[in-house]
Amino acid sequence: MTAIATLPPTVTLNQRLSGLESGQRMRLAFGALVILAIVIGGVVMGSKPDWRVLYANLADKDGGAIVAQLSQMNIPYKHTEGGSAILVPADKVHDTRLRLASQGLPKGSVVGFEMMESNRFGMTQFQERLTFQRGLEGELTRSIQALSSVQSARVHLALPNQNGFFREQQKPSASVLVSLHPARSLDRTQIAGIVHLIASSVPELAPSAVSVLDDTGKLLSTPADGSGDSRGVDAEQLQYTQNIEQSFTRRILDILEPIVGKGNARAQVTADLDFSQTQSTSESHRPNQTPDSSAIRSQQLVETGAGAGAAASPAGVPGAVTNQPPGNATAPINAPAQTLAAAGTPGAGAQGAAAAGGKRESIINYEVDKTVRVVRSSTGQVRRLSAAVVVNHRVGKDEAGNVTSVALTADQIEKMTALVRETIGFNKERGDSVNLMNAPFAVEKQDELVLPLWRQPEMQELARSLAWPIGTVLLVALVLLGLVRPGLKAMSRPTMVDAVGGAQEGGQLDALVADEAERPPLLIKAAPKPPPEPTEGELRLEDARKLARENPAAVASIVKGWIGSEVPA
């Protein structure tokens, strides 16, 4: 008789689920839902955008316009508590700013010359002038707010109406109110830059007519009359003095560190500067010089005689030639004196002129030498310098080879002192002093602060980045082990159909060979605990197992015979 082998029927998922208890099915379903929720949450958290600031400190009008435009562009956004900043995804910040800038957003609370674009028909000259002034104020405010230290600013211009009388025209003036960021300030150069920016933007506006104030009401600019607080000038003088001292200190270190090594020299320089402004005027005259070497300013020669009246009367042949005026004198200025002649007697001598009652006067004025010298002393002149230098001992080795510190010799100290004097421009008449000292530097032992691994910033950042993925994996593993795995294990146990199919395929032979027979837990109860002494059935079973191990072919034929006898023809 031929034995016919039959395959076990296929077990579907529904059959396995139906074989589970209700509690097991509920735990399995709940675990599947939890895992699905965790996966969805991980995907959502992983794809959560990184929000960045698009604009901050916007006016309400600009904020509303930007939010409306973001809604039209379908760009997700949110704002911080209080609405001080608008946030968008990090990958869309620059693109959104460019797109909003193309539409003129944000316009800002300060309006500039764009006000001139909305001029309506019928505006008066006063309205046009007022609109121009407001636009100019807005443009200047925007320029001042571009400074990194300025948070906000307001500019007020006083532009008087000009009339036709030039002498009666008033000069314009300006006032600037600046509000600074916390912990920031404006130095003197920045304040001067704001003043000159305003003065250069308004015609006929002098820098002295510009006033700059901060939000506390303190006047930052210098008044035009110079009657303001002098603390600003003192601050500038102190800064200039510090710069001079630092310059000398750096020069000393630059000349000594190549000799003694970097960090083995310390220097401090005290500079006494003179900031007083003095002006002296001197006028000097040279002594009287000889007539030959001096310059003549003017000369007057007067000659009179007794026959002057007769000589003055007309003489000669009457006519046009006689009535001609006398010509210009051609005699040189320093020519020798001429001898006076008597009237009507040409060629007469000086004695004849004196006898005739003549008179001669000569007045010569010479230039007076004068030198006027005006001397103005410059501010910030060095009146005295004091330099203190400390040099560390040089490193050496003793006879045993140990590292020790060795003091410098007197010759080395003297040479270094000479170098320092030449470096700072030592002047003994000015009262300068240089003191160079050689001493060992105290070495402070710094205990290195070793942070534990869990407090290091790199590890904390790594833990933050891995917290969510690791937590998700651990939660999924917990759900799998606690809820899903027991259900899957229960589904993998053999059911009634599996037991029947296994028996038909040779389960009896397996039961004979195996030490313990595999029985379905739901169909066959657990065998009682065997007694200490083997029973007769156990002995027969052991004999059958021994026969199966020694002669498996015979046992197989016997089992086939049993199966063939049980299966109907």
Side-chain angles (χ1 to χ4, degrees), residues 73-366:
M73 293 189 297
N74 295 325
I75 296 177
Y77 67 90
K78 66 177 183 179
H79 26 111
T80 58
E81 184 178 356
S84 60
I86 299 177
L87 307 178
V88 296
D91 56 345
K92 296 183 179 181
V93 171
H94 302 290
D95 181 59
T96 305
R97 286 179 180 174
L98 294 176
R99 294 174 64 180
L100 291 176
S102 64
Q103 300 178 7
L105 293 176
K107 295 181 179 179
S109 58
V110 180
V111 183
F113 280 135
E114 59 267 16
M115 296 179 59
M116 305 295 294
E117 299 176 358
S118 60
N119 290 341
R120 62 182 183 274
F121 181 75
M123 290 183 62
T124 61
Q125 185 178 4
F126 173 76
Q127 292 176 340
E128 291 181 355
R129 185 170 63 251
L130 182 61
T131 303
F132 173 77
Q133 180 176 344
R134 290 181 58 192
L136 183 58
E137 291 175 352
E139 294 295 335
L140 292 175
T141 300
R142 290 176 178 176
S143 301
I144 296 174
Q145 288 180 352
L147 298 177
S148 59
S149 300
V150 179
Q151 183 178 8
S152 61
R154 294 192 65 183
V155 179
H156 303 277
L157 298 178
L159 305 179
N161 296 329
Q162 304 297 337
N163 50 27
F165 300 97
F166 181 77
R167 293 182 179 180
E168 297 179 0
Q169 289 182 357
Q170 298 180 0
K171 298 296 182 180
S173 59
S175 300
V176 183
L177 177 64
V178 294
S179 178
L180 305 179
H181 289 285
R184 295 190 182 183
S185 61
L186 294 175
D187 55 15
R188 307 298 300 178
T189 56
Q190 291 176 324
I191 296 174
I194 294 175
V195 170
H196 284 276
L197 172 66
I198 302 296
S200 302
S201 303
V202 180
E204 302 295 332
L205 178 60
S208 58
V210 180
S211 301
V212 181
L213 291 83
D214 60 2
D215 50 2
T216 61
K218 179 182 177 181
L219 182 63
L220 302 179
S221 60
T222 305
D225 53 358
S227 60
D229 192 2
S230 61
R231 288 178 295 179
V233 179
D234 294 341
E236 291 183 356
Q237 294 177 359
L238 179 61
Q239 184 178 3
Y240 179 75
T241 304
Q242 292 177 352
N243 293 338
I244 292 295
E245 294 174 350
Q246 292 175 2
S247 175
F248 282 117
T249 302
R250 186 169 55 252
R251 292 168 63 180
I252 293 174
L253 295 179
D254 291 343
I255 198 66
L256 291 181
E257 284 184 348
I259 302 174
V260 299
K262 187 174 182 62
N264 291 326
R266 298 289 187 272
Q268 291 292 334
V269 177
T270 302
D272 185 9
L273 304 182
D274 184 12
F275 291 98
S276 60
Q277 299 181 359
T278 58
Q279 178 177 351
S280 62
T281 303
S282 62
E283 181 177 352
S284 60
H285 297 271
R286 297 178 63 183
N288 296 332
Q289 302 177 4
T290 60
D292 298 337
S293 60
S294 61
I296 298 176
R297 175 186 295 179
S298 62
Q299 180 178 0
Q300 183 179 4
L301 179 62
V302 179
E303 295 181 356
T304 58
S313 60
V317 180
V321 178
T322 309
N323 294 333
Q324 293 293 331
N328 296 329
T330 58
I333 296 178
N334 296 330
Q338 299 292 333
T339 303
L340 296 177
T345 310
Q351 296 179 357
K359 182 179 179 182
R360 180 177 182 273
E361 294 182 359
S362 177
I363 300 175
I364 301 175
N365 296 324
Y366 296 94

